[in-house]
Amino acid sequence: MDKRTSLSEAVAEHIRDGQLVAIEGFGHLVPVAAAHEIIRQGFRDLTLARMTGDVMIDQLLAAGCLKGVIGSFVGNSSAGSLHELRRRVENSDPVPLDLEEYSHGGMVCRYLAGASKLPFYPINSYRGSDLVALNGKIRSVKDPYGGEEIHVVPALNPDVTIIHAQRADRAGNIQAWGILGVQAEAAFAARRVIVTVEEIVDDGVIRSDPNRTIVPSHVVDAVVHCPRGAHPHSVQGYYDRDDGFSRRWSELARDPRRLRDWLQENIHGTRDHAEYIARLGPDYWDRLQVEAAFSVPVNYGGRK
């Protein structure tokens, strides 16, 4: 089945107000373009699940899309704080935010439980942690094999999971490399899956390197060709992280009015991600280019 579609069509078809939406990618392969499309289409009352919250959280909050965040880290890469999020959490300005906090390990376990169709997942690292007192969803159960009680976290089953990757075929077999996070677990845990990719390649390319497939087509509902869809984050082998953007954001987001003006100009004021990227200019990407570093070929040869 051909699952190729545009980003606007994928978001409009699969996302609804009030849903739990996971947007995952760790360090790189972050589906920022999809978050921008959610803003363009004006969705409301979403709960965002994301292990490593970043600039997109400030943007989604300022746009009025989110009522809650489930995660384990928030920050603007190495450039500072997320000031819109801080205003919500510290001062309920302009409204409070429902923030449900876990460790990285806790979020991984929640996705694992969801992907495995289990009600909860055990985790050993919460002994002595203040998170247990702060988060009532972290509970403990008796070890049926006679050991000590162990903490557990509930399954996380997003209504929609969105991830970004290097490439896919038309059917939605998704291939990625470099640092990976919980993209596969978040996809298998979700009811619907949207994937944006740098390239859509011929079926034979995917078949020639099957072990690089992190999410198979039967899990994916929509695959979107979205070059530079992770900016300002990096994509291994395609472009580097835009640290300059992150530093500028750290200053811009201190002022709520400047932040909303940025949203109006760059997201609401653009038709799609391609126009957003075009506004940066053709020379913008020169400093984000990466050198080629090819892996050694793998022989998948089989029986004659």
Side-chain angles (χ1 to χ4, degrees), residues 240-259:
D240 204 353
R241 188 174 72 174
D242 190 350
D243 291 323
F245 180 97
S246 298
R247 288 191 292 269
R248 292 190 296 273
W249 185 265
S250 189
E251 291 303 314
L252 180 152
R254 291 178 185 274
D255 184 339
R257 180 173 296 179
R258 286 184 63 199
L259 193 162

Side-chain angles (χ1 to χ4, degrees), residues 1-280:
M1 184 183 296
D2 192 334
K3 297 179 181 178
R4 292 174 294 181
T5 187
S6 70
L7 185 53
S8 61
E9 290 170 335
V11 168
E13 180 176 355
H14 298 293
I15 293 181
R16 298 289 180 269
D17 289 343
Q19 285 183 330
L20 169 58
V21 178
I23 302 181
E24 285 296 352
F26 191 80
H28 77 140
L29 297 178
V30 180
V32 176
H36 288 180
E37 187 58 32
I38 289 171
I39 292 171
R40 281 190 196 92
Q41 296 193 23
F43 287 99
R44 294 291 182 266
D45 296 323
L46 300 176
T47 298
L48 174 67
R50 175 152 175 74
M51 276 183 56
T52 53
D54 42 33
V55 165
M56 76 163 67
I57 289 185
D58 262 2
Q59 295 169 355
L60 287 163
L61 283 171
C65 299
L66 303 183
K67 68 176 181 180
V69 172
I70 303 170
S72 50
F73 169 86
V74 288
N76 179 11
S77 300
S78 58
S81 293
L82 299 176
H83 295 289
E84 182 69 17
L85 181 138
R86 289 188 64 169
R87 284 188 283 271
R88 307 292 176 106
V89 173
E90 296 174 356
N91 301 310
S92 297
D93 176 19
V95 294
L97 175 69
D98 181 10
L99 181 62
E100 189 177 317
E101 188 176 359
Y102 297 86
S103 63
H104 275 1
M107 285 293 290
V108 171
C109 288
R110 290 203 65 188
Y111 282 125
L112 280 169
S116 304
K117 307 302 182 279
L118 296 172
F120 58 82
Y121 209 90
I123 179 169
N124 200 38
S125 60
Y126 282 145
R127 287 196 175 98
S129 170
D130 289 339
L131 278 174
V132 176
L134 293 171
N135 186 340
K137 291 187 178 179
I138 302 172
R139 302 180 185 177
S140 59
V141 297
K142 184 178 180 180
D143 179 357
Y145 299 102
E148 298 181 49
E149 285 199 349
I150 189 166
H151 289 106
V152 296
V153 290
L156 185 58
N157 291 106
D159 294 299
V160 182
T161 285
I162 307 173
I163 63 174
H164 188 73
Q166 279 97 338
R167 68 189 183 199
D169 62 16
R170 57 185 174 171
N173 291 295
I174 310 302
Q175 293 194 336
W177 52 93
I179 297 175
L180 300 179
V182 290
Q183 291 99 322
E185 293 82 357
F188 275 93
R191 296 174 179 87
R192 300 285 182 92
V193 177
I194 300 170
V195 186
T196 57
V197 294
E198 295 292 323
E199 294 183 88
I200 294 181
V201 297
D202 291 338
D203 301 1
V205 174
I206 301 299
R207 293 195 184 105
S208 72
D209 195 5
N211 282 18
R212 215 171 298 278
T213 302
I214 64 166
V215 179
S217 62
H218 70 268
V219 178
V220 175
D221 294 280
V223 60
V224 177
H225 181 220
C226 190
R228 295 169 177 164
H231 177 265
H233 299 276
S234 62
V235 170
Q236 189 80 43
Y238 287 75
Y239 46 89
D240 204 353
R241 188 174 72 174
D242 190 350
D243 291 323
F245 180 97
S246 298
R247 288 191 292 269
R248 292 190 296 273
W249 185 265
S250 189
E251 291 303 314
L252 180 152
R254 291 178 185 274
D255 184 339
R257 180 173 296 179
R258 286 184 63 199
L259 193 162
R260 285 158 180 79
D261 286 345
W262 186 93
L263 290 177
Q264 185 59 44
E265 179 181 352
N266 294 282
I267 300 181
H268 295 299
T270 56
R271 289 168 297 183
D272 53 25
H273 184 67
E275 185 173 335
Y276 166 82
I277 291 298
R279 286 194 177 190
L280 296 174

